[in-house]
Amino acid sequence: DIGLGIPAEPLFRSAISHLNIDDFTIYNSIGTQYVSNDFSTLLIGDTSGVSAISNVNGGDLNQTLDQTAGGGNGDDNMACVGLGCGPAWEDDYSQQPPPVNGSFVRADTQLLGALIDGLHVNADVLAEGQTSITDEGTGASTVGTITTFAFALMANDTITFDFNATAFMEVILHQDEHDVQASIGFSIDIIDVENAHGGGLNSNIFNFSPGAINTGIGLNSKDTDDYTLASTNFISTSIALQEGTDYRLVISQDADIHFDAVKVPEPGMLALFGIALMGLASTRRRKPSCAA
């Protein structure tokens, strides 16, 4: 602080979560990528959504946007509110530089390629927000994709999942007793729809959710924290799956951020408050006069 409690720099909250899945392939027990002819049943469905919400009272950003694409688009439109939002940020998964004034919150996702009868898959999810507004309010963004395969194999076999993951999260808080958070998640599940393995109806017979890409960071006091995962290869193989049995494969990927802001007194009010405190201290230091 400078002088009578006037902030030396704008109060600032920032958060970003970015998870990239690359070179994602699935292959059988002899190392051959699966194609549609390997399945007696194969139905693929996707859902995805992006949401960016902010409510900062009296500031540059005082609006709410919730934009969701439920049809499983390969490239959802970015949800974004605030300073800088525009076409230039669409499918840009790099961290945006801090704004000079104002705020923004955004979420975006893109999925390229195909696991079956296609090249490897590349998938991004990003949630990001910043504010330098010194008023009450919150900002949040969330993005998620779910791909579901209903399938039955032509022959007994396993499925091996092989992909690279890169992740980055950062949170910045310039104010104590408030909150900023960021998180990422990724999971693969196989469900035995017919209960063929005795685990109960619709039992989950396989789960792969590495801790390195299912994690989060957060602050509630003035500080900076970050998390970086350099490109890392992940491989996991299912149990033996039975020919003709109905299974469901569910692949989920998500990212989210949240920050809150508190109203800060105007510099003039801070100065008056500081002067009042000085006067009170002076009164307390004054000794009573002695009687004549």
Side-chain angles (χ1 to χ4, degrees), residues 9-15 129 131 133 137 170-181 217-226 258-262:
E9 59 183 348
L11 296 172
F12 185 68
R13 287 148 296 278
S14 172
T131 181
I133 292 175
E170 182 183 69
V171 290
I172 300 173
L173 186 61
H174 284 183
Q175 196 172 16
D176 289 336
E177 298 180 3
H178 294 279
D179 181 68
V180 60
Q181 299 177 5
I217 57 176
L219 295 171
N220 57 15
S221 60
K222 187 187 301 184
D223 205 350
T224 300
D225 196 11
D226 61 70
H258 169 83
F259 60 80
D260 64 17
V262 66

Side-chain angles (χ1 to χ4, degrees), residues 21-53:
I21 302 297
D22 193 21
D23 290 327
F24 190 11
T25 59
I26 60 174
Y27 48 85
N28 60 23
S29 55
I30 61 172
T32 302
Q33 184 177 1
Y34 275 102
V35 296
S36 56
N37 289 339
D38 295 323
F39 302 89
S40 57
T41 301
L42 180 61
L43 299 172
I44 303 174
D46 295 309
T47 59
S48 56
V50 290
S51 173
I53 299 172

Side-chain angles (χ1 to χ4, degrees), residues 65 81 99 156 243 250 255 275 287-288:
L65 172 67
V81 287
N156 296 349
E243 172 190 352
V250 181
I275 292 170
K287 293 182 180 181

Side-chain angles (χ1 to χ4, degrees), residues 18-194:
H18 176 218
L19 175 60
N20 171 256
I21 302 297
D22 193 21
D23 290 327
F24 190 11
T25 59
I26 60 174
Y27 48 85
N28 60 23
S29 55
I30 61 172
T32 302
Q33 184 177 1
Y34 275 102
V35 296
S36 56
N37 289 339
D38 295 323
F39 302 89
S40 57
T41 301
L42 180 61
L43 299 172
I44 303 174
D46 295 309
T47 59
S48 56
V50 290
S51 173
I53 299 172
S54 181
N55 182 19
V56 183
N57 299 321
D60 293 340
L61 188 59
N62 186 18
Q63 55 186 308
T64 297
L65 172 67
D66 188 348
Q67 180 177 334
T68 301
N73 295 319
D75 185 4
D76 280 345
N77 293 325
M78 175 181 64
C80 189
V81 287
L83 182 70
C85 293
W89 287 4
E90 181 78 30
D91 296 329
D92 179 358
Y93 298 97
S94 58
Q95 186 176 23
Q96 298 302 319
V100 176
N101 293 294
S103 305
F104 74 84
V105 181
R106 72 182 185 121
D108 204 1
T109 180
Q110 184 179 50
L111 187 151
L112 303 173
L115 283 178
I116 308 296
D117 293 328
L119 299 175
H120 64 266
V121 167
N122 178 282
D124 284 282
V125 288
L126 170 82
E128 184 180 18
Q130 300 177 10
T131 181
S132 58
I133 292 175
T134 57
D135 219 331
E136 295 177 350
T138 60
S141 62
T142 183
V143 54
T145 64
I146 301 176
T147 301
T148 302
F149 296 76
F151 72 94
L153 290 170
M154 293 289 290
N156 296 349
D157 212 333
T158 59
I159 299 179
T160 295
F161 303 90
D162 188 338
F163 60 90
N164 297 323
T166 305
F168 174 71
M169 293 184 289
E170 182 183 69
V171 290
I172 300 173
L173 186 61
H174 284 183
Q175 196 172 16
D176 289 336
E177 298 180 3
H178 294 279
D179 181 68
V180 60
Q181 299 177 5
S183 65
I184 53 173
F186 183 84
S187 64
I188 302 171
D189 292 273
I190 298 178
I191 298 167
D192 176 9
V193 178
E194 295 186 6

